[in-house]
Amino acid sequence: MRKILVISDIHIRSIEKSIIGLSPLKQFKNALSHGQKNHPDAEHLILMGDIAHSGHIKEYELIKRAINNYQIPITFMLGNHDNRENFVKIFPEIPLTKEGHLQTVINLGNDVLICLDTLNSPPYLEGKHEGKLCTKRLEWLEQELNKIRNKRISIFTHHPPHNVGFPGMDKIKLSNSNDLFEIIKKYVNIKHIFSGHVHRTISGHTNNIGFSIFKSTCHQMPMNLISADSSLSVKEPAAYGIILFDDQSIIAHTEDYEIARQAIASSIDAMPDKL
Ligand SMILES: [Fe+2]
Ligand SMILES: [Fe+2]
């Protein structure tokens, strides 16, 4: 079984600034160290976008410092709160597509993970948060898919390409999701879509494919299926994702690391006849 970790919606702000009383940097560092300690066998870490809260250079510098000693390869994705140009200034070593987008293919045994760039900017307009995959990014995706005929594929997007039932978030999902699903339906080896953006653990099935969405390491979306406000936030426990791949299955776990006890047998109370 192969294992990767996923951290979504870090929303880094400068050290003195918080989000609803939470320090995004501290929350992120806690997730990183929890993942490293409890999952030393993870082969890869994906940061699923909204890395920075305001897209400032200083925020990317803080991220770079925080991951400085991390032991496993990291793949970065961008979200609506990011700024591609500022990201590139701080991470010039990270390759972009020839059109300048942050899209990556990760090979993991019999699985291939394709991370897409759904940031619909520049221009960076206030209050513009929906995602988009332009023609260039979709063409890149098809080119990559055509190279991978014999492996199982998972697609990673910051913006979910489907509704999630929160009216405010459904307004700012991937705006041209039909274009993506037109491609996906041609490739039967695409088996799952992973997203962030919503700041809540959600799973389901859409357009004949399974999906999983992970929480943020900072602020979460409250369970309010009526409000059209996409900025609603609540201090519920943060989480990161753990994805397992074996011959039969793709398995998505969510680890609420702030409330989780260490997964060491001796420290967990055994309950006879629990199951
Ligand atoms: Fe976010
Ligand atoms: Fe987002």
Side-chain angles (χ1 to χ4, degrees):
M1 201 172 271
R2 318 277 299 239
K3 180 194 281 185
I4 70 159
L5 302 180
V6 175
I7 293 182
S8 193
D9 293 274
I10 304 163
H11 283 261
I12 287 288
R13 302 191 82 188
S14 54
I15 290 168
E16 65 279 4
K17 288 185 179 165
S18 62
I19 296 176
I20 61 166
L22 298 165
S23 160
L25 182 61
K26 192 167 156 227
Q27 300 277 123
F28 174 54
K29 284 182 173 174
N30 288 345
L32 274 182
S33 59
H34 190 282
Q36 205 157 25
K37 187 171 177 185
N38 290 280
H39 303 284
D41 55 338
E43 297 180 57
H44 209 99
L45 169 64
I46 301 179
L47 304 183
M48 284 190 77
D50 284 358
I51 298 167
H53 187 65
S54 310
H56 294 160
I57 282 187
K58 269 210 159 342
E59 296 170 342
Y60 294 115
E61 286 172 342
L62 285 171
I63 286 278
K64 192 160 201 173
R65 237 173 283 151
I67 59 166
N68 194 28
N69 292 319
Y70 212 63
Q71 303 296 325
I72 59 175
I74 299 178
T75 291
F76 293 84
M77 293 170 61
L78 299 174
N80 46 301
H81 283 264
D82 288 302
N83 179 299
R84 198 178 289 104
E85 292 70 26
N86 287 344
F87 172 84
V88 169
K89 280 179 194 152
I90 303 305
F91 293 96
E93 69 280 12
I94 294 179
L96 304 174
T97 66
K98 72 175 192 302
E99 307 289 349
H101 300 111
L102 185 55
Q103 305 204 118
T104 314
V105 174
I106 303 165
N107 286 292
L108 195 77
N110 291 323
D111 283 272
V112 178
L113 323 181
I114 302 184
C115 301
L116 299 178
D117 179 344
T118 59
L119 170 56
N120 186 22
S121 300
Y124 296 92
L125 303 174
E126 187 82 15
K128 188 180 159 202
H129 291 294
E130 81 278 7
K132 188 161 186 195
L133 285 168
C134 63
T135 312
K136 304 253 186 300
R137 281 172 265 191
L138 291 167
E139 283 172 1
W140 177 94
L141 172 62
E142 282 227 73
Q143 281 167 16
E144 294 302 321
L145 289 170
N146 285 329
K147 296 180 202 165
I148 321 164
R149 288 293 185 178
N150 300 318
K151 294 196 172 187
R152 184 173 57 184
I153 297 170
S154 298
I155 301 279
F156 289 71
T157 59
H158 175 74
H159 295 78
H162 50 81
N163 286 337
V164 292
F166 294 114
M169 296 310 295
D170 290 344
K171 273 193 298 190
I172 58 167
K173 65 180 179 187
L174 182 69
S175 58
N176 62 326
S177 53
N178 287 346
D179 295 338
L180 178 61
F181 284 117
E182 279 301 309
I183 293 174
I184 285 177
K185 75 181 184 193
K186 291 191 268 179
Y187 298 84
V188 292
N189 52 339
I190 301 177
K191 298 298 183 191
H192 207 82
I193 301 170
F194 292 98
S195 303
H197 189 51
V198 186
H199 296 221
R200 194 157 187 109
T201 308
I202 307 171
S203 60
H205 196 255
T206 178
N207 289 270
N208 294 319
I209 190 163
F211 69 80
S212 304
I213 297 176
F214 297 109
K215 273 181 165 180
S216 164
T217 47
C218 191
H219 49 300
Q220 313 305 331
M221 167 64 82
M223 180 42 79
N224 182 332
L225 295 169
I226 296 167
S227 174
D229 184 354
S230 64
S231 68
L232 294 179
S233 299
V234 65
K235 277 188 209 175
E236 288 180 8
Y240 62 86
I242 304 158
I243 310 176
L244 305 174
F245 301 86
D246 73 9
D247 290 347
Q248 295 188 349
S249 310
I250 298 170
I251 305 155
H253 288 279
T254 183
E255 170 65 292
D256 293 64
Y257 61 94
E258 291 187 296
I259 54 171
R261 293 173 64 185
Q262 295 297 312
I264 300 167
S266 60
S267 70
I268 303 283
D269 297 328
M271 194 167 88
D273 304 323
K274 178 183 167 194
L275 300 176

